[in-house]
Amino acid sequence: MAPSKTPAREEGRNTREARTGAMRAVFERAGFTDVEPPLLQPANVFLDRSGEDIRRRLYVFTDPGGQEICLRPDLTIPTCRLYLEENGGAGQARFCYSAAAFRFEPQGSGKPTEFVQTGAEFFGAKDADAADAEMLALAVDAVRAGGLEKFDIEMGDLALFDALVDALDIPGGWRTRLKRHFWRPAYFKELVARLATNGATERASERTGLLAALDALDEKNARSVIEDVLDLAKIAPVGGRSVAEIAERFLERAADQSAAPLSKETAKLIDTFLALSLKPQDVAKRIRDLTKAAGIKIEKQIGALERRFELIEKKGVDLSRARFETGFGRTLEYYTGFVFELRAKGAGADGVVAGGGRYDGLLQSLGAPTRVPAVGCAITLERLTAALASKGSPSK
């Protein structure tokens, strides 16, 4: 028997629909076309491109045709796939949406497994800084249209860290790994510590067993050995990782045993850089001072950061309560540049009501013929509603 539609339930549904409609209208007035990507998505798309947090929480099953599919865990990747279907990965497009997404939550967590995301994705913009500023301003306007006035803004920029790493005098393979694992704070910290303490004595004591054997092989044969070992031991992928990813991790550890250690000065520079948490007006000077002392320059990225702040303020966003954190990279693998979150008291453990950022590499990995500039944002209705119940007091 279907549940009766009590007046209170009907009123709650009407309020939610009005709230999402008001937020979506902000994007529509800015020229975004309302879309709703398919609910069912190929599972491998998310397994290959999302962070471990999402990979562990996918609702995955096999359809009668044998294809592994999942319920969409967010709207960004499905909207990207829709853009590729309609535009072929060429030209500008502005899409917005308001639809349900699904992620597993342990029983008793109090978190919904089904939630509503209202957001927008901007593809193909030629001026990245202007598009970034517009997306943050739209997110702020949409959250306010949803009824929330008090919130904090946290920002970061992965491109700054990439530029720093590229300027360091370290092996190319280490640059790639540091960039790739930036979004995983715990593992990243472990990685830097391991590279910095990998001295000759430690290498001599640890170069035994499988790692030593792998180091003696070329990459193709080493990868084959690892995959055979995993298969013979009947070891299944863990946390959404594929056998290839596990093999890659073994190869990285074997390479660590042969490489010279990261200098203490370089390790300290990375730690100091990632610990910066500043008001927007103080960021550029502090990073310039830090990099100048280290004898490196990343002026192009610092200049872009300054311009983006100026454009954001021109859009009417008050940055007086905002913070910029150089170590802020969110939890999704596909971000490549500017990232942000809007936070308020009562909106869950982390206080995040909305978030977004730039993901210039994602479209090409999904099949676009070339790299497509892209930036987006998403607001979670349930978190917004919880923050409103707490009167939206700032989270910090």
Side-chain angles (χ1 to χ4, degrees):
M1 181 181 294
S4 61
K5 294 183 179 180
T6 64
R9 181 177 295 148
E10 190 71 17
E11 182 181 357
R13 189 186 70 174
N14 291 340
T15 299
R16 288 163 59 89
E17 289 180 353
R19 194 166 286 153
T20 56
M23 292 191 292
R24 190 172 60 249
V26 170
F27 300 118
E28 291 175 342
R29 286 194 296 269
F32 288 76
T33 301
D34 186 30
V35 298
E36 183 171 351
L39 176 65
L40 300 179
Q41 297 284 324
N44 68 293
V45 171
F46 294 92
L47 292 171
D48 294 343
R49 295 165 183 84
S50 299
E52 290 182 14
D53 178 61
I54 288 183
R55 286 193 291 221
R56 289 194 298 263
R57 298 158 64 193
L58 286 177
Y59 283 101
V60 182
F61 54 95
T62 303
D63 68 15
Q67 181 183 10
E68 197 172 50
I69 59 178
C70 69
L71 300 178
R72 61 190 180 211
D74 72 13
L75 273 295
T76 296
I77 289 179
T79 304
C80 288
R81 297 184 67 238
L82 193 63
Y83 165 75
L84 291 175
E85 290 175 9
E86 295 190 1
N87 296 66
Q92 283 195 20
R94 294 169 175 253
F95 291 158
C96 65
Y97 48 78
S98 184
F102 304 82
R103 297 180 194 176
F104 168 77
E105 295 290 350
Q107 190 172 7
S109 68
K111 299 178 181 178
T113 56
E114 178 182 352
F115 53 94
V116 175
Q117 282 189 339
T118 300
E121 313 295 336
F122 186 5
F123 305 110
K126 295 181 179 180
D127 188 334
D129 297 333
D132 290 347
E134 179 183 8
M135 190 56 65
L136 173 58
L138 286 170
V140 168
D141 289 345
V143 166
R144 286 180 173 153
L148 186 64
E149 291 291 338
K150 296 181 180 179
F151 49 84
D152 296 318
I153 301 174
E154 182 172 357
M155 298 178 287
D157 188 347
L158 281 72
L160 276 174
F161 178 73
D162 286 356
L164 178 77
V165 170
D166 284 338
L168 297 176
D169 184 18
I170 59 176
W174 285 6
R175 292 193 184 98
T176 301
R177 289 170 62 191
L178 289 169
K179 293 177 185 179
R180 189 169 73 231
H181 296 297
F182 174 74
W183 60 273
R184 302 175 60 208
Y187 180 75
F188 182 89
K189 185 176 181 180
E190 173 193 329
L191 173 63
V192 173
R194 187 167 71 243
L195 297 179
T197 59
N198 193 28
T201 302
E202 182 181 355
R203 292 201 305 276
S205 64
E206 290 188 1
R207 285 176 56 80
T208 58
L210 182 58
L211 292 182
L214 292 174
D215 194 40
L217 300 173
D218 60 49
E219 182 176 344
K220 181 179 179 181
N221 287 328
R223 191 181 299 275
S224 178
V225 167
I226 295 168
E227 293 176 352
D228 287 345
V229 168
L230 293 174
D231 183 58
L232 290 171
K234 305 299 181 184
I235 297 176
V238 178
R241 292 195 188 100
S242 65
V243 170
E245 287 176 305
I246 297 173
E248 183 68 24
R249 185 67 56 82
F250 270 108
L251 291 175
E252 289 177 351
R253 292 300 296 269
D256 287 349
Q257 304 304 310
S258 304
L262 197 68
S263 72
K264 292 181 179 179
E265 293 77 13
T266 298
K268 182 178 180 181
L269 173 62
I270 292 174
D271 287 341
T272 302
F273 179 85
L274 294 181
L276 296 178
S277 178
L278 303 161
K279 294 180 180 180
Q281 63 266 30
D282 298 330
V283 176
K285 182 180 186 305
R286 182 69 182 92
I287 295 178
R288 282 194 179 100
D289 290 345
L290 182 64
T291 52
K292 181 179 179 180
I296 60 177
K297 291 184 178 181
I298 55 171
E299 188 56 37
K300 179 181 178 181
Q301 287 72 25
I302 296 174
L305 184 69
E306 290 179 308
R307 179 170 181 260
R308 188 186 302 122
F309 287 153
E310 292 174 0
L311 291 170
I312 290 172
E313 290 185 317
K314 286 181 179 179
K315 289 287 185 180
V317 178
D318 180 10
L319 294 181
S320 63
R321 294 193 60 85
R323 299 291 293 181
F324 185 93
E325 299 190 3
T326 46
F328 173 50
R330 310 197 73 238
T331 57
L332 292 176
E333 293 185 42
Y334 52 67
Y335 284 111
T336 59
F338 177 61
V339 287
F340 64 87
E341 288 178 345
L342 309 184
R343 299 185 177 191
K345 181 181 179 181
D350 56 10
V352 178
V353 173
R358 176 157 295 278
Y359 50 93
D360 288 349
L362 180 57
L363 273 297
Q364 191 170 18
S365 78
L366 291 171
T370 58
R371 192 175 177 90
V372 179
V375 62
C377 73
I379 304 158
T380 302
L381 175 62
E382 288 73 13
R383 287 174 172 260
L384 177 70
T385 301
L388 287 169
S390 297
K391 298 183 180 180
S393 299
S395 60
K396 296 180 182 178

